[in-house]
Amino acid sequence: MELAVIGKSEFVTGFRLAGVRKVYEAADIAATESIVKSVLDDKSVGILVMHNDDIGNLPEILRKNLNESVQPTVVALGGSGAGSSLRDKIKQAVGVDLWK
């Protein structure tokens, strides 16, 4: 299983320097949407990393697919809503809200 990263140039550069091979730069939302769809169909990708703001800009149906995806597992980093997203991911994985 491989790691894939999708995002703007400033987001993906560190992953590229760290040796991640499947790094996709997307300049706009249309490009991001197209790349996300192709990565979701790629059976060799086990983990997909994206910026939380980029996920938030995707169409609702695609966001739902990402949230429910088991393979690849989607990891959202950064952005203003990262805390609540992490909380939701933990709640979904564990089945209990650990912050209550």
Side-chain angles (χ1 to χ4, degrees):
M1 292 289 144
E2 291 193 58
L3 176 71
V5 182
I6 302 172
K8 294 181 176 76
S9 177
E10 57 271 6
F11 180 75
V12 301
T13 300
F15 291 97
R16 182 176 284 126
L17 291 171
V20 175
R21 287 179 272 171
K22 294 195 177 220
V23 175
Y24 305 95
E25 282 189 36
D28 58 22
I29 191 62
T32 303
E33 186 176 344
S34 173
I35 295 167
V36 167
K37 288 178 181 177
S38 68
V39 169
L40 286 175
D41 291 336
D42 186 348
K43 300 300 179 196
S44 70
V45 175
I47 299 174
L48 170 59
V49 178
M50 290 182 67
H51 194 279
N52 200 44
D53 292 343
D54 290 338
I55 292 174
N57 291 331
L58 293 172
E60 185 175 342
I61 200 146
L62 191 52
R63 278 196 318 262
K64 184 178 180 191
N65 288 344
L66 288 174
N67 285 332
E68 295 175 354
S69 177
V70 174
Q71 183 171 342
T73 298
V74 179
V75 177
L77 299 177
S80 57
S84 64
S85 177
L86 176 61
R87 180 179 183 173
D88 292 340
K89 289 282 188 189
I90 292 173
K91 184 177 176 182
Q92 182 180 2
V94 177
V96 176
D97 189 353
L98 298 177
W99 273 271
K100 283 191 174 185

